[in-house]
Amino acid sequence: MINIPKGTKDVLPSESYKWHYIENTVREVARLFGANEVRTPTFEHTELFLRGVGDTTDIVNKEMYTFEDKGNRSITLKPEGTAGVARAFIENSLFNAPQPTKMYYITPVFRYERPQAGRLREHHQFGVEFYGSFAPQADVEVMSLAKSIFAKLGIKDLQLNINSIGCKSCRKDYNKALKDYFSSKIDKMCSTCKDRLDKNPLRILDCKEETCKAIVKDAPSTIDYLCDDCKSHHESVCKGLTSIGLDYVVNPRIVRGLDYYTRTVFEFISTGIGAQGTVCGGGRYNDLVEQVGGKSTPAVGFGMGIERLIMVLESLGLSFGEPYAPEVYIAPMCEEAKDIALVIANNLRANGISAEFDIMDRSFKAQMKYADKLSANFVAIIGEDELKADKVAIKNMKTGEQESVERDKLVEFIQSKK
């Protein structure tokens, strides 16, 4: 037997309705905010992620699925969604359209890491990308969009953590302060962070090693090193969140794990999955489009894992709606009724009514048990008497009531019961 690769998961028919519920919800909320869907390839040229995500990040250094294709080109399965959207924004000249450009995506992403609860080597992300605006109100809007999704799903145990990591200008002073702080502690740091100290000390703040996390606790705060423009932007974001009643906490340790972020970064953290966990993360990335070959364009957005959302909803006992159940199950009682069952099912479906009929040669008793297992609302029974009279016997599976309905009036009958 060939088993599924480690870190991947099948979504079975009995579970897929949960995915549909999440996907329909995020699409509906994105539409309310004026965002349209963008779909980018599952793989991109590796250079896109080296330039966009950053060669000092764990994603690039440890987690990417990279290979050479038959043309000896380095190709990478996308480890996140934003870089591909930035490439699409440039390549398809979306910057020529009236701004802002508001986009969302639902996509698989691939990271070679230790599989754990809510995190797989192939998982799925919903993400939002707003291009073209420097305004702090755009930052607030994407955070509001994320909160609206959580509210619609019924997730309440959330805390919004925000921070500002500044821009190229003020980042220089902050990086110097970090180097000064970490230099005296380098002997206690992990080998990866020792390498980061000269290349990109900001990445040390995102280290998951316990020894480094302990050192980071007393590191200088990004907020204390913001230039006047970044400070003003951060204050306006905070003011905007307050104005719409979106509670937040300023957390100076949030830097996010990707190099393209500038100014605002944020995370929605939930305690509904057994331990604190980030269910959504994002921020502003004003330099990304330029880094991957386009003209300087401000942008802000976020990503959230669909598997993790499902896990949170399950842990909180929240509803995913109802799994699929046919409105009508057609049960032929004799050989002559099987073709009639096929015709009836086809007619019901053509009129927007979900229908199934026996294709397994079950006995009538077994058909009724199967219809009950499917949670069908009605069973249309066709026996010899019904064949002669051009009728069906309709049984309401919830009430047990049964009545005779003319075959050509069946659609009208079912529609009247909705």
Side-chain angles (χ1 to χ4, degrees):
M1 175 181 171
I2 301 174
N3 295 320
I4 192 170
K6 183 178 180 180
T8 62
K9 185 178 180 181
D10 295 315
V11 179
L12 301 177
S14 60
E15 295 288 308
S16 59
Y17 77 99
K18 298 179 180 181
W19 288 73
H20 298 160
Y21 177 73
I22 297 286
E23 291 166 3
N24 291 338
T25 299
V26 298
R27 289 181 192 278
E28 180 182 347
V29 174
R31 179 187 62 82
L32 293 175
F33 282 75
N36 291 305
E37 186 176 11
V38 61
R39 301 188 185 190
T40 61
T42 302
F43 57 88
E44 301 269 4
H45 292 292
T46 303
E47 183 185 8
L48 174 67
F49 303 112
L50 294 177
R51 293 172 62 180
V53 175
D55 59 6
T56 60
T57 62
D58 282 348
I59 290 176
V60 169
N61 282 330
K62 303 176 182 178
E63 299 171 3
M64 293 204 310
Y65 278 91
T66 298
F67 58 93
E68 281 194 356
D69 66 7
K70 293 183 178 180
N72 297 319
R73 293 172 289 258
S74 182
I75 297 295
T76 296
L77 300 178
K78 60 183 173 185
E80 56 90 49
T82 297
V85 174
R87 192 264 316 141
F89 179 82
I90 300 165
E91 191 166 348
N92 295 282
S93 302
L94 299 184
F95 49 81
N96 286 329
Q99 299 302 311
T101 298
K102 296 181 176 182
M103 297 173 280
Y104 75 89
Y105 57 81
I106 300 174
T107 186
V109 293
F110 304 86
R111 296 185 188 179
Y112 190 85
E113 55 186 342
R114 182 174 63 86
Q116 52 188 297
R119 188 181 295 274
L120 299 168
R121 289 177 176 174
E122 180 193 28
H123 59 280
H124 298 78
Q125 279 189 356
F126 166 73
V128 166
E129 317 278 345
F130 286 9
Y131 283 78
S133 173
F134 284 103
Q137 290 79 12
D139 306 39
V140 175
E141 188 172 22
V142 297
M143 286 185 264
S144 176
L145 195 163
K147 186 60 167 31
S148 296
I149 289 172
F150 296 131
K152 196 164 185 65
L153 293 174
I155 302 173
K156 298 178 181 179
D157 62 329
L158 293 170
Q159 183 182 74
L160 171 60
N161 284 216
I162 69 169
N163 190 25
S164 176
I165 57 174
C167 62
K168 290 179 180 177
S169 175
C170 49
R171 191 82 59 81
K172 292 178 182 178
D173 291 337
Y174 182 57
N175 281 342
K176 182 178 183 303
L178 286 178
K179 282 186 179 181
D180 292 343
Y181 172 79
F182 287 123
S183 291
S184 61
K185 301 168 177 60
I186 191 168
D187 292 340
K188 300 177 182 179
M189 293 160 62
C190 71
S191 58
T192 301
C193 285
K194 288 177 181 178
D195 187 51
R196 286 168 171 167
L197 184 60
D198 289 323
K199 291 183 177 180
N200 190 350
L202 187 69
R203 290 271 62 82
I204 298 174
L205 301 179
D206 197 47
C207 185
K208 302 301 186 290
E209 296 289 336
E210 291 301 324
T211 53
C212 294
K213 287 167 70 175
I215 295 172
V216 163
K217 287 182 180 179
D218 296 320
S221 170
T222 59
I223 300 293
D224 296 333
Y225 290 84
L226 298 179
C227 64
D228 290 342
D229 285 345
C230 289
K231 184 177 181 180
S232 176
H233 185 274
H234 177 64
E235 290 172 349
S236 294
V237 169
C238 294
K239 181 180 178 182
L241 291 171
T242 301
S243 71
I244 64 170
L246 184 45
D247 295 335
Y248 65 91
V249 173
V250 176
N251 182 346
R253 291 295 168 256
I254 291 180
V255 295
R256 302 297 297 152
L258 309 169
D259 280 354
Y260 53 61
Y261 284 111
T262 55
R263 292 191 172 176
T264 304
V265 288
F266 66 88
E267 294 180 353
F268 281 91
I269 297 173
S270 170
T271 57
I273 54 176
Q276 275 205 348
T278 300
V279 294
C280 172
R284 181 167 280 281
Y285 29 95
N286 292 342
D287 300 330
L288 177 60
V289 174
E290 188 173 10
Q291 286 172 1
V292 297
K295 296 179 180 179
S296 179
T297 306
V300 60
F302 67 78
M304 60 175 70
I306 294 179
E307 283 89 348
R308 182 156 290 200
L309 275 179
I310 291 174
M311 188 170 65
V312 172
L313 263 67
E314 289 176 337
S315 69
L316 297 175
L318 296 174
S319 173
F320 291 90
E322 297 295 328
Y324 165 75
E327 292 180 75
V328 183
Y329 183 87
I330 305 150
M333 296 181 67
C334 57
E335 193 67 30
E336 294 81 4
K338 290 184 178 180
D339 286 339
I340 298 299
L342 175 61
V343 172
I344 291 174
N346 190 62
N347 189 41
L348 288 169
R349 294 163 182 164
N351 284 277
I353 299 170
S354 59
E356 294 195 32
F357 65 98
D358 180 55
I359 57 173
M360 298 300 296
D361 289 327
R362 291 182 172 93
S363 68
F364 177 70
K365 185 177 179 180
Q367 288 184 64
M368 295 302 291
K369 287 183 177 180
Y370 183 61
D372 186 56
K373 186 175 182 180
L374 289 177
S375 299
N377 291 330
F378 297 92
V379 174
I381 302 166
I382 313 171
E384 291 181 356
D385 291 342
E386 285 77 23
L387 277 175
K388 292 176 183 178
D390 285 336
K391 292 184 176 182
V392 295
I394 288 289
K395 181 176 181 179
N396 187 317
M397 296 296 282
K398 293 180 181 177
T399 66
E401 296 177 352
Q402 186 169 313
E403 56 188 296
S404 182
V405 176
E406 292 180 22
R407 200 185 302 163
D408 61 1
K409 297 289 181 62
L410 181 57
V411 169
E412 183 180 340
F413 174 84
I414 298 298
Q415 289 175 338
S416 72
K417 299 297 182 180
K418 289 187 176 182

